[in-house]
């Protein structure tokens, strides 16, 4: 099974940048999108052979997630079961026979870490949610998780110690999740590889110089370790400030 995750930074915008052709080229069984920034009916995209599920934020032009799946899921759930987190369209869960798929757009802690308190609560509640799912069947958790976990996951770690996405608090929450029995699939296969990023600022030609961050992930339950065939970053795909990331899994 091939899975793709991509923060498109506005679905209507990316549609004008060759998204349909890119989508077809992925030839993926499941495609997860984040930061769709649209309400139902604001764009039309219906690829043949896919079921599609959308979760929009109440605030127009903000956040939002979507999933396209060739196989129809057994069930679909929106949000993570906590009312406080049910207004920004940040999580869609699809249940399949052998695993749960959880597509997430994690809240950004914002400038000066202004939203760090909310982010910490989100992380704790999401971890509880994922662990509860994992108790039933394995989990495949993906999306823009808005954290570079280790120093090799961004180009300039020393100058970003208190930046959103690289604070000690955010990185520790990622560690706590992994310690609960989950794997960062890319680092499982590429433990020491540097220069591997999925997001670049639009400023200072960051993408051209590869001054990026790896903040987009596929994380899976530990017991899926032997089923991981490939974990990859499609850094040559443009259309957003993020690039797609992918996973090949024997499920």
């Amino acid at each position: 099974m091939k899975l793709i995750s991509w923060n498109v930074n506005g679905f209507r915008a990316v549609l004008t940048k060759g998204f349909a052709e890119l989508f077809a080229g992925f030839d993926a069984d499941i495609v997860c999108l984040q930061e769709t920034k649209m309400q139902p009916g604001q764009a039309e995209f219906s690829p043949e052979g896919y079921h599609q599920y959308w979760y929009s934020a109440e605030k127009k032009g903000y956040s939002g997630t979507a999933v396209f799946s060739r196989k129809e899921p057994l069930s679909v759930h929106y949000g993570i079961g906590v009312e406080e987190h049910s207004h920004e369209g940040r999580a869609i869960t699809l249940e399949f026979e052998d695993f749960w798929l959880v597509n997430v757009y994690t809240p950004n802690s914002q400038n000066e870490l202004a939203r760090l308190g909310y982010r910490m609560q989100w992380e704790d509640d999401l971890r509880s949610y994922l662990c509860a799912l994992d108790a039933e069947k394995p989990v495949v958790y993906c999306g823009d998780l808005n954290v570079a976990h280790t120093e090799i996951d961004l180009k300039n770690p020393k100058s970003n110690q208190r930046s959103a996405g690289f604070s000690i608090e955010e990185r520790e929450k990622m560690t706590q999740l992994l310690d609960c029995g989950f794997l960062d699939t890319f680092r499982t296969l590429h433990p020491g590889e540097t220069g591997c990023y999925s997001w670049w600022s639009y400023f200072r030609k960051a993408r051209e110089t590869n001054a990026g961050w790896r903040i987009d992930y596929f994380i899976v339950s530990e017991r899926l370790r032997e089923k991981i065939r490939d974990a990859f970053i499609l850094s040559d795909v443009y259309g957003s400030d993020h690039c797609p990331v992918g996973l090949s899994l024997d499920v």
Side-chain angles (χ1 to χ4, degrees), residues 15 56 68 82 93 98 104 109 132 145 147 188 202 211 214 229:
L15 274 179
S56 299
F68 297 83
V82 178
T93 300
D98 297 321
V104 166
S109 293
L145 306 189
V147 61
T188 298
Y202 282 131
R214 188 177 74 93
R229 291 294 166 261

Side-chain angles (χ1 to χ4, degrees), residues 87-144:
H87 305 283
E88 297 183 353
R90 292 193 178 273
I92 303 176
T93 300
L94 273 59
E95 179 187 6
F96 295 99
E97 184 176 352
D98 297 321
F99 68 99
W100 299 97
L101 173 81
V102 184
N103 174 34
V104 166
Y105 177 38
T106 298
N108 190 296
S109 293
Q110 299 182 352
N111 292 337
E112 306 296 325
L113 301 178
R115 211 182 187 198
L116 183 62
Y118 175 72
R119 170 67 178 270
M120 295 295 97
Q121 188 61 53
W122 164 274
E123 294 287 352
D124 290 341
D125 292 338
L126 179 67
R127 187 174 64 255
S128 295
Y129 177 74
L130 294 174
C131 288
L133 294 179
D134 187 50
E136 297 183 19
K137 63 180 78 175
V139 172
V140 176
Y141 162 46
C142 70
D144 173 3

Side-chain angles (χ1 to χ4, degrees), residues 195-227:
C196 303
Y197 309 127
S198 63
W199 174 80
W200 302 262
S201 169
Y202 282 131
F203 299 105
R204 300 178 183 175
K205 298 183 177 179
R207 194 155 187 175
E208 289 87 338
T209 60
N210 200 29
W213 298 49
R214 188 177 74 93
I215 59 175
D216 300 87
Y217 296 77
F218 272 94
I219 290 173
V220 303
S221 299
E222 168 70 41
R223 59 192 184 280
L224 292 178
R225 180 188 292 269
E226 300 306 318
K227 297 184 180 293

